[in-house]
């Protein structure tokens, strides 16, 4: 009985393939599966954005919104609200 108890204790805590190590590895696997789902959703979003950029109208809209590009005869006004402006503590 004593040998069986020592064997069980050894296998659960002290062995190189112990139950504690397996538990940590399973937690890592679960975390990585969550990351995989997140990145797969990001890939789908990027694929839809790429499809939108294939035509010239979508590409022009993206350039205007993201990079504030404009045509030669246009003026662009950027409106900032008070809550979006960072304030210095000194003022």
């Amino acid at each position: 009985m004593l040998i069986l108890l020592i064997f069980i204790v050894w296998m659960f805590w002290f062995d190189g393939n112990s139950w504690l190590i397996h538990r940590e590895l399973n937690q890592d696997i679960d975390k990585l599966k969550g990351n995989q789902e997140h990145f797969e959703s990001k890939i789908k979003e990027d694929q839809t954005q790429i499809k939108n950029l294939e035509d010239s109208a979508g590409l022009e809209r993206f350039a205007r919104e993201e990079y504030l590009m404009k045509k030669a005869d246009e003026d662009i006004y950027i409106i900032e609200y008070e809550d979006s402006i960072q304030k210095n503590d000194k003022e």
Side-chain angles (χ1 to χ4, degrees):
M1 192 67 165
L2 181 63
I3 293 173
L4 182 62
L5 182 64
I6 292 172
F7 177 75
I8 291 173
V9 169
W10 179 265
M11 292 305 288
F12 271 94
W13 285 282
F14 300 118
D15 191 42
N17 296 321
S18 69
W19 176 78
L20 296 174
I21 292 173
H22 280 282
R23 192 185 74 185
E24 289 177 13
L25 292 175
N26 286 335
Q27 289 173 349
D28 289 343
I29 289 170
D30 292 339
K31 187 190 318 181
L32 290 173
K33 284 182 181 179
N35 287 344
Q36 180 182 5
E37 293 171 359
H38 168 74
F39 288 124
E40 285 176 353
S41 68
K42 285 292 194 181
I43 288 171
K44 288 180 184 178
E45 290 175 11
D46 290 343
Q47 287 174 343
T48 57
Q49 187 173 9
I50 288 170
K51 286 180 184 178
N52 291 337
L53 294 176
E54 287 177 354
D55 63 341
S56 61
L59 184 60
E60 182 179 343
R61 191 186 90 243
F62 180 77
R64 288 173 181 263
E65 291 175 359
E66 294 296 320
Y67 297 108
L68 303 176
M69 293 184 166
K70 65 180 186 88
K71 293 182 180 177
D73 60 343
E74 291 181 332
D75 292 326
I76 295 179
Y77 298 98
I78 300 173
I79 300 171
E80 292 183 355
Y81 298 101
E82 279 188 41
D83 58 344
S84 67
I85 299 173
Q86 295 179 355
K87 295 182 181 179
N88 293 335
D89 293 333
K90 296 178 181 177
E91 293 180 4

